[in-house]
Each structure stands twice: as C-alpha cells, then as structure tokens.
Amino acid sequence: MSETAPVTLRPRRIRLVCWASAAALLVVFSLVATSLAGPTGNGYGTFQRGDQLAMVGLGVLGALGILLFTRPRVEADALGVRVRNVLGSYELPWEVVRGVRFDRGAPWASLELHDDDLVPMVALQAADKELAVEGVRALRRLHQAHLAALAEGAAGR
C-alpha cells in the first residue's frame, strides 16, 4: 500500500449491533402495535388504527435513532483528514495534527492537534481490535508522509 493512498475507515462491530438492534426494535414495536386492539382498562376508551400507526412510527423513530451510531467515518488522504462522528464532523489539514493517538483503555482513537485539543475518532473503536489498529497505523503513515514532504520542502529552500 502506498504511503499516500487515501484511507476510509468505518467501525465494524457497532454497525452490526446497531442494524440488528434497529431491526429488533422495529419488530417489537410492530408486534405491540398489532396487539393494540379493543377497549382499554375499564373500557373508557378504545385503541384505534391511529394508535397502532403511532406505535409503528415510534419504532421507526427509535430505529433511526439507533442507526445514528452507524454514521462515524474517517477519510484521510495526503492533504488531510475528515472525521465524521455521531453528531459532528471535522475537516482538518495535516498541518494542524500533532499525532494520532490510541491510548490504552480508550474506547476509540483520537487526533492530537497542535493546540493541545483532542478530536475523537469514533470510527476507530477498540471493540474492532485489529481493524482499528490497522486504521490507526494507516493514518500514522499518512501523517508521517506529510511530515516528510514538509521536511523535504524545507530542505529544498
């Protein structure tokens, strides 16, 4: 693999868990919706077709909420890195990145910036084990290639 080949990384295990959970939630809410029929408790009200549709709608909303956790992605190339987390995203040039960290016991990797900020990369999760380690290594190779290109540019002046 070339040192400057673009890299796209996504979590594997959490995506499988989220898709299975979303499907299960949708099935449960659909089953509950089909069981909503007839009078309620003391007979003061009855379940209508709208109540059943509302339960299915709640199941769809819950499943979509779970599927938000499949959104994380990291894309990197020779110019920089783009990090998309569950509720936010960052586009950073390599110039602002000091290093790629994956501390022992950390749930995911992070980018250490020159201003001492840490940008979490939820796409590189410890639960994915070797896949996450290879992803961090690929990002470190891209970062090192960028640093080497800067050093060559500075030496050539």
Side-chain angles (χ1 to χ4, degrees):
M1 176 192 291
S2 169
E3 286 184 358
T4 58
V7 176
T8 300
L9 306 163
R10 298 187 73 172
R12 179 179 297 161
R13 187 168 291 182
I14 193 71
R15 287 175 48 211
L16 295 174
V17 169
C18 286
W19 279 102
S21 298
L25 185 73
L26 197 52
V27 167
V28 166
F29 271 79
S30 297
L31 290 175
V32 168
T34 59
S35 70
L36 291 179
T40 62
N42 295 333
Y44 294 116
T46 59
F47 288 112
Q48 304 285 324
R49 176 76 57 204
D51 299 320
Q52 293 174 327
L53 292 175
M55 286 304 290
V56 172
L58 285 174
V60 168
L61 288 177
L64 290 174
I66 290 172
L67 291 178
L68 272 177
F69 292 95
T70 65
R71 186 175 183 268
R73 172 183 292 169
V74 174
E75 296 173 337
D77 55 24
L79 300 176
V81 60
R82 288 156 300 288
V83 178
R84 185 172 73 182
N85 289 329
V86 175
L87 292 177
S89 58
Y90 306 90
E91 188 166 340
L92 303 166
W94 285 119
E95 286 83 12
V96 301
V97 176
R98 180 184 298 158
V100 180
R101 294 176 53 169
F102 203 168
D103 298 330
R104 184 176 300 280
W108 46 71
S110 58
L111 292 173
E112 183 178 5
L113 306 182
H114 284 291
D115 63 358
D116 293 328
D117 278 345
L118 287 177
V119 175
M121 294 185 291
V122 180
L124 293 170
Q125 298 186 358
D128 286 331
K129 297 182 172 123
E130 194 60 35
L131 181 69
V133 171
E134 285 302 317
V136 168
R137 288 179 180 154
L139 290 175
R140 286 179 178 163
R141 281 191 299 270
L142 281 168
H143 186 239
Q144 289 300 320
H146 174 75
L147 292 176
L150 285 179
E152 282 180 22
R157 288 184 183 178

